[in-house]
Amino acid sequence: MQLLSAGLLWSVSLTAIAQTDAGAAAQVAPLYDLHCNYLVTPLGIDDKHPTLSWKGSSGNANAAGTADQPPAPGYYAIIVATDSASLADKHTAAKGTVWYSGFQSADKPFLRYNGQPLQPYTRYYWKVIHTGDTIRLTDAAQAMSYFETGLQSVYNWKGAWISDNHPISFKPAGYFRKDFTLRKPVKSARIYIAAAGLYQLTLNGQPVGDRELDPVYSRFDKRLYYTTYDVTDALDSRQNALGVILGNGWYNLQSTAVWDFDKAPWRARPAFVLDIRVVYRDGTVETISTGKDWKTRTGPIVFNSIYTAEHHDHRIRLDGWDLPHKNEDDWHRRHDSLWQDVIYRSAPSKNITSSMLVPIRKSAPIAAVTMNKFSDTDYVFNIGQNIAGISEIRIRGKRGTVLRVKHGERLYKNGHVDLSNIDVHYRPTDDSDPFQTDIYILSGQGEETFRPRFGYKGFQYVEITSSEPVQLDKSSVTAYFMHSDVPVAGQVHSSDTLLNKIWAATNQSYLSNLMGYPTDCPQREKNGWTGDGQINIQTGLYNFDAITVYQKWMQDHLDEQQPNGVLPSIIPTDGWGYEWGNGPDWTSTIAVIPWNLYLFYGDAEVLRSCYDGIKRYVDYITRISPEGICSWGLGDWVPVKSKTPVPFTSTIYYYTDARILAEAARIFNRKEDYTKYSTLAEKIKKAFNDKWLNKETAIYDKGFQTEMSAPLYWGIVPEAYAVRVAAALNKRVEQDNYHLDVGLLGSKTILDALSMYGYHNSAYKIAGNKTFPSWGWWMVNGATTLYENWNIQSSSDISLNHIMFGQIGAWLYRGLGGIIPDPESPGFKHSILRPGVPDSLERFSASHTTPYGKLAVSWERKEKSKTVEVRLVIPAGTTATFYAPAGYAPVRGERKDKVAVKWEKETEQRSLYVDLNKATLSGGIYTFVLEKMK
């Protein structure tokens, strides 16, 4: 629809609404949580078709329908305009309307903008209107929000890329500044900044924003990200100054380790480009940009490495360096002759796009819980938890005193910090860059505060040694947890305190390894290992609203993928990882993660954007695996004792990728691809089962836990054998005395495979085990995060903050809470609720914030454990199928309004489910009483 007629259409629609039969309309739940591209009021949108989403409150009982009939879907319309006042008036057409969607069935709580081309530097206000089963404005729910576009094109940058004139080996960080004067009263001002490396930005001496380690790491020669800041209120009416400090980040990594980032093809001295776009109240626009009028020098940050640490020399003073000065040239002459002219640099990539993901931020301060003083020059602090982040030191001391601040995860027996479990891949060329050890030199001028600006570490303990005596107390050290600041999306609680600790530790490790991309560990590597990422995608999505980070990481995948389809094992990468560890058991991220985003959000956009990449990847595996068996991969990494063959697990992932590709082809109506890859998946499935399934015993290969659970979890077992295979798995677990005998890949599947087939007691016994090897074994030994190795005394693979064994975090929701997305109705439009009720667990609750609102399952034993009471909260506008847990029969079920629930039986037993009692429910609150069968 053309722009001129959009407002007219809106007016016509209002008339139609007013004429609708008032008696037929149902009340509609309030709207809330409006997002654009899954962010709240984002600035700097470059997307031509941003996603607009919302939620409706499930607290409105009238929106729930009846217990045996789903609520009417309702209708929605979206209006996007440039005038907020007129858009807020429900009775008039909005001025500046650029898109009116028309009313349509509200089957999904999001829609992509499809109006007039969005213009750069423009704020757009948008409103969603949601009605009941008939379109009647007086009963409609309405909510407003806004988003703001950014540059939209690399050619809209006014500034030049600038740097200082130093080589890549030069260690001190560059400081940059510029004074500028405003001519008239300001209406609005935005800063747009992109950097190769990291930056810290100040305006008039104050930090701009609260982002850390910005911009996020990417393949710098293929893609750069810029960030937008609203600085309207921070500007002085006349004289202003900009300050920028550049850090190396992954762009100019000077530390040397096995992954060769010091040899990265993009490596250069950090550089940046910046525009301040000032709109004056009279409508005129002025842009202040990077250019030759900027000045640069070095300062107290004399070395910085995101991999190792940071060094500061406070004897180098730059007081007021980023404050405005009336006479710039005079200030330089009087204060420091070291300020130099900047140099122009070419952009590392012409692909500079807006950073549309939640930023990395630091937490509230974490105080030390203990301090051990060995001497006046040696102190060890314990912050009581393992984190990814930084320490901040407050200290007084003699000028020239050198502090070494070492960060580690464990202590030697003598109480000093031990780095031997995390420095194994570091290959230093000299002793000037010690691992995870900040170096600070005191100025001697009162109390001084040190904190790194361009790095982070993984640690629980901080050891401070000094070249001269200093007096420290417990308050001298403060820690900050740093991670991508993803909103919380899930909660779990149970009567088992051990399970609660495991859940908390899983989340601690997950967040410690989310830094604009998923990593494996925050100390030893900081790499985006694909295996860890695909294993823990559901753990992440149940617990956190992390879609923006995964959208970015999938773009990293596409940027790194070779034309033949091959991906590296770490993403992003400097080129390392294309020849080691990148089989389908790891790099199936290209298929597994987009598929799970589709399941959890109901949004197929990432799956669509990755479709050709998945196809190239599957085609490559097919070329090297003509018989359907793939032998390429790492296998069940870090097993307890039993080693599953690599071709076994790699073929399962090959099958999974082909199956996801076929399903995506069906969703996108690519009929030829659907036929081709469905046939391929069946070929792989047959080859796999012909090779490894003993049809007489229903045992795969040697019957190890991974060999029995992985085929069940990934659905490669023939339906006729699934129940028997599950029984054989359970028997194997009993023989192993409910202890784990799996590596990374088996840890993904063991608990879920048991729960899928009703063996909740066995799954819970494994999950709640307190002896080696188990998650509980780590907890009883003091863990606050997950480890890399089941054996905490192992001589290798012993990082103490690793996410690789984190699937248990997803199992708590799936296996005990029973909250499962339905692939046929993704985004929890329809949910499958199959809680597991182990005999020895008294109560459990789990909730997850879906695109439609909060979905919750809780259960508790009653009457001396003879019955179990289950409570469900299902968001308005959605439905769910509730299955009575294995071993329990329903006594009664009712909705909050006392409407009885109708039970039904499956018409035929499906091998996936051993329980047959089910009820189909619509949005609302339900209570069930279940009786344990004899």
Side-chain angles (χ1 to χ4, degrees):
M1 184 57 60
Q2 296 300 311
L3 179 61
L4 291 176
S5 60
L8 177 60
L9 256 182
W10 172 227
S11 298
V12 171
S13 295
L14 288 180
T15 302
I17 292 169
Q19 294 173 347
T20 302
D21 178 14
Q27 292 184 353
V28 179
L31 299 172
Y32 67 101
D33 215 12
L34 273 63
H35 284 67
C36 175
N37 280 0
Y38 300 99
L39 297 169
V40 178
T41 60
L43 305 180
I45 291 280
D46 282 344
D47 191 349
K48 295 179 180 179
H49 303 282
T51 299
L52 306 176
S53 61
W54 63 92
K55 290 184 177 69
S57 172
S58 59
N60 189 329
N62 290 325
T66 61
D68 58 350
Q69 182 177 348
Y75 297 89
Y76 67 79
I78 289 179
I79 310 98
V80 181
T82 54
D83 186 279
S84 61
S86 63
L87 186 63
D89 190 334
K90 65 172 65 176
H91 298 294
T92 62
K95 295 178 182 178
T97 298
V98 296
W99 185 49
Y100 165 60
S101 69
F103 277 91
Q104 44 193 286
S105 177
D107 59 337
K108 293 180 180 179
F110 64 85
L111 193 65
R112 280 189 180 78
Y113 175 84
N114 196 28
Q116 295 297 306
L118 297 173
Q119 300 302 305
Y121 312 119
T122 304
R123 175 168 290 191
Y124 291 93
Y125 300 90
W126 64 281
K127 175 166 66 176
V128 57
I129 304 174
H130 191 193
T131 72
D133 55 342
T134 57
I135 303 173
R136 187 170 183 268
L137 185 63
T138 55
D139 291 326
Q142 301 191 21
M144 280 183 56
S145 186
Y146 68 86
F147 63 89
E148 194 169 290
T149 53
L151 283 85
Q152 297 272 299
S153 167
V154 68
Y155 299 105
N156 284 333
W157 285 97
K158 301 295 190 294
W161 280 83
I162 62 173
S163 185
D164 56 14
N165 196 15
H166 293 295
I168 59 175
S169 59
F170 187 70
K171 292 184 177 182
Y175 287 64
F176 300 79
R177 63 164 278 118
K178 174 183 169 57
D179 274 276
F180 63 96
T181 303
L182 298 177
R183 299 180 289 109
K184 292 176 284 188
V186 172
K187 178 183 178 182
S188 65
R190 303 288 183 268
I191 291 181
Y192 306 94
I193 181 171
L198 300 171
Y199 69 86
Q200 292 243 311
L201 173 64
T202 61
L203 177 59
N204 298 329
Q206 297 300 312
V208 175
D210 59 357
R211 292 170 176 257
E212 301 283 347
L213 304 179
D214 206 56
V216 293
Y217 175 29
S218 63
R219 177 67 189 249
F220 298 106
D221 52 359
K222 293 186 178 181
R223 184 176 305 273
L224 296 167
Y225 289 100
Y226 75 86
T227 303
T228 304
Y229 297 96
D230 181 350
V231 293
T232 307
D233 295 336
L235 287 171
D236 185 84
S237 60
R238 294 290 295 168
Q239 199 73 20
N240 294 272
L242 281 165
V244 174
I245 310 173
L246 290 184
N248 290 318
W250 294 103
Y251 182 69
N252 182 33
L253 189 61
Q254 295 173 322
S255 302
T256 49
V258 298
W259 304 281
D260 295 333
F261 281 100
D262 60 307
K263 300 181 180 68
W266 59 68
R267 190 178 168 197
R269 183 75 174 161
F272 76 105
V273 60
L274 179 149
D275 286 346
I276 303 185
R277 188 173 188 270
V278 179
V279 179
Y280 293 109
R281 290 180 185 172
D282 63 5
T284 59
V285 176
E286 181 181 9
T287 303
I288 297 103
S289 303
T290 43
K292 280 291 190 176
D293 53 349
W294 284 66
K295 296 294 183 180
T296 183
R297 61 154 293 172
T298 58
I301 302 178
V302 294
F303 175 78
N304 69 94
S305 168
I306 197 169
Y307 181 65
T308 55
E310 200 160 306
H311 307 167
H312 293 191
D313 187 345
H314 269 200
R315 295 172 300 180
I316 302 172
R317 301 298 295 266
L318 283 181
D319 297 337
W321 74 275
D322 53 356
L323 291 174
H325 307 106
K326 293 182 180 180
N327 188 319
E328 179 82 355
D329 292 335
D330 179 64
W331 185 84
H332 288 315
R333 284 193 299 270
R334 287 187 295 107
H335 286 79
D336 202 332
S337 61
L338 295 179
W339 287 97
Q340 302 170 348
D341 292 336
V342 299
I343 64 168
Y344 284 146
R345 281 267 303 278
S346 61
S349 169
K350 289 185 178 181
N351 188 11
I352 307 174
T353 59
S354 182
S355 179
M356 285 291 104
L357 71 161
V358 294
I360 298 168
R361 293 189 175 101
K362 65 178 185 293
S363 70
I366 301 171
V369 295
T370 63
M371 183 194 77
N372 188 1
K373 180 179 179 180
F374 290 93
S375 68
D376 286 342
T377 59
D378 193 348
Y379 300 79
V380 172
F381 297 80
N382 176 9
I383 65 168
Q385 57 182 297
N386 198 331
I387 65 168
I390 59 172
S391 65
E392 182 176 86
I393 314 302
R394 291 175 301 282
I395 190 170
R396 294 174 182 268
K398 179 181 176 183
R399 179 179 176 85
T401 299
V402 178
L403 301 180
R404 288 180 172 254
V405 186
K406 182 189 297 185
H407 302 76
E409 296 185 312
R410 64 185 188 182
L411 302 176
Y412 288 112
K413 291 181 179 180
N414 62 10
H416 293 282
V417 169
D418 175 11
L419 299 181
S420 63
N421 67 315
I422 55 175
D423 63 358
V424 293
H425 297 308
Y426 183 35
R427 302 290 183 269
T429 56
D430 56 42
D431 60 359
S432 65
D433 180 19
F435 190 66
Q436 288 219 141
T437 304
D438 295 320
I439 298 177
Y440 301 135
I441 302 177
L442 275 58
S443 69
Q445 298 184 11
E447 184 175 82
E448 303 177 57
T449 301
F450 296 90
R451 60 150 287 196
R453 297 175 181 266
F454 299 117
Y456 71 98
K457 305 164 189 71
F459 67 99
Q460 178 173 339
Y461 303 98
V462 178
E463 182 163 11
I464 299 177
T465 56
S466 60
S467 61
E468 299 286 342
V470 292
Q471 293 302 313
L472 303 178
D473 58 37
K474 202 166 64 172
S475 67
S476 299
V477 170
T478 300
Y480 294 91
F481 191 9
M482 289 169 56
H483 56 81
S484 291
D485 194 16
V486 287
V488 173
Q491 292 289 333
V492 163
H493 188 75
S494 80
S495 56
D496 186 340
T497 56
L498 182 67
L499 279 190
N500 298 336
K501 288 181 179 180
I502 293 172
W503 177 69
T506 301
N507 287 347
Q508 187 92 337
S509 280
Y510 178 79
L511 291 176
S512 294
N513 287 287
L514 204 66
M515 295 288 179
Y517 63 104
T519 67
D520 62 327
C521 56
Q523 8 62 8
R524 192 184 67 203
E525 303 187 32
K526 299 182 172 75
N527 282 320
W529 282 97
T530 51
D532 303 66
Q534 68 88 0
I535 289 291
N536 292 288
I537 177 62
Q538 289 191 347
T539 290
L541 295 183
Y542 274 116
N543 285 295
F544 301 99
D545 181 11
I547 186 172
T548 60
V549 176
Y550 287 111
Q551 285 174 324
K552 181 265 179 186
W553 200 39
M554 288 300 100
Q555 184 59 62
D556 292 336
H557 277 62
L558 298 178
D559 289 344
E560 298 285 12
Q561 190 173 33
Q562 299 282 11
N564 66 357
V566 174
L567 291 156
S569 52
I570 58 172
I571 297 175
T573 182
D574 61 330
W576 189 95
Y578 285 100
E579 297 182 356
W580 190 87
N582 61 329
D585 44 5
W586 257 240
T587 49
S588 284
T589 41
I590 189 67
V592 171
I593 288 179
W595 178 249
N596 276 280
L597 293 177
Y598 172 68
L599 289 181
F600 275 74
Y601 288 87
D603 186 345
E605 193 62 21
V606 178
L607 185 63
R608 189 189 308 276
S609 67
C610 290
Y611 183 88
D612 289 340
I614 301 170
K615 188 174 177 178
R616 289 196 301 273
Y617 186 67
V618 170
D619 287 348
Y620 176 81
I621 304 176
T622 301
R623 288 195 296 273
I624 65 172
S625 312
E627 303 303 318
I629 301 296
C630 177
S631 301
W632 173 40
L634 277 182
D636 202 18
W637 193 248
V638 192
V640 176
K641 58 179 186 295
S642 301
K643 183 67 174 176
T644 300
V646 167
F648 186 97
T649 47
S650 288
T651 301
I652 289 177
Y653 277 97
Y654 175 27
Y655 165 77
T656 299
D657 296 339
R659 189 166 55 86
I660 290 173
L661 180 56
E663 189 61 19
R666 182 186 66 81
I667 294 167
F668 302 138
N669 199 29
R670 301 193 182 192
K671 296 179 180 178
E672 291 184 5
D673 280 358
Y674 174 72
T675 300
K676 175 181 177 180
Y677 293 106
S678 296
T679 302
L680 174 63
E682 288 303 311
K683 174 185 175 180
I684 301 167
K685 183 175 182 177
K686 184 179 185 304
F688 177 85
N689 287 296
D690 286 349
K691 183 174 180 65
W692 282 294
L693 175 60
N694 184 324
K695 295 181 180 179
E696 292 185 4
T697 62
I699 291 176
Y700 280 95
D701 200 40
K702 301 179 183 65
F704 300 148
Q705 289 182 18
T706 297
E707 293 173 338
M708 300 301 292
S709 63
L712 288 168
Y713 180 89
W714 294 110
I716 202 171
V717 181
E719 186 172 351
Y721 292 89
V723 171
R724 292 175 59 204
V725 172
L729 167 63
N730 187 61
K731 184 176 181 180
R732 176 70 190 217
V733 168
E734 291 174 347
Q735 292 172 348
D736 290 331
N737 197 25
Y738 305 100
H739 283 88
L740 289 165
D741 184 20
V742 296
L744 172 61
L745 304 182
S747 73
K748 170 78 172 178
T749 60
I750 181 65
L751 298 179
D752 284 271
L754 289 166
S755 293
M756 286 163 62
Y757 290 88
Y759 294 105
H760 302 298
N761 286 329
S762 295
Y764 174 59
K765 286 179 181 179
I766 292 177
N769 204 314
K770 297 180 180 179
T771 57
F772 172 82
S774 67
W775 290 278
W777 172 241
W778 296 337
M779 300 302 112
V780 298
N781 279 277
T784 60
T785 46
L786 303 186
Y787 292 175
E788 184 190 11
N789 202 311
W790 302 114
N791 181 6
I792 61 178
Q793 302 301 328
S794 176
S795 59
S796 62
D797 301 315
I798 192 55
S799 154
L800 302 187
N801 192 348
H802 236 79
I803 190 55
M804 59 188 282
F805 291 125
Q807 172 68 12
I808 190 172
W811 171 80
L812 292 169
Y813 291 89
R814 293 171 56 90
L816 296 180
I819 299 175
I820 303 171
D822 183 354
E824 297 303 317
S825 188
F828 296 93
K829 177 68 174 175
H830 178 80
S831 303
I832 298 169
L833 304 178
R834 297 188 63 249
V837 183
D839 292 340
S840 54
L841 188 60
E842 290 301 311
R843 62 183 181 276
F844 182 86
S845 64
S847 65
H848 172 67
T849 303
T850 77
Y852 298 88
K854 184 177 179 179
L855 175 65
V857 176
S858 61
W859 53 261
E860 184 174 2
R861 297 188 179 280
K862 301 288 185 178
E863 300 177 11
K864 298 181 180 180
S865 299
K866 291 182 180 179
T867 61
V868 169
E869 183 176 288
V870 180
R871 186 177 185 271
L872 310 177
V873 178
I874 301 171
T878 73
T879 58
T881 300
F882 172 72
Y883 288 87
Y888 286 84
V891 176
R892 68 176 185 272
E894 61 185 20
R895 211 178 65 170
K896 187 177 182 181
D897 55 9
K898 304 301 182 184
V899 176
V901 173
K902 295 181 180 179
W903 289 93
E904 57 186 307
K905 295 279 188 178
E906 293 280 5
T907 55
E908 60 183 51
Q909 181 165 343
R910 291 178 291 166
S911 62
L912 185 60
Y913 305 124
V914 297
D915 46 349
L916 304 179
N917 292 294
K918 69 174 185 177
T920 301
L921 315 171
S922 61
I925 299 173
Y926 297 83
T927 302
F928 294 89
V929 176
L930 310 169
E931 185 176 42
K932 188 171 179 61
M933 294 184 290
K934 296 180 180 180

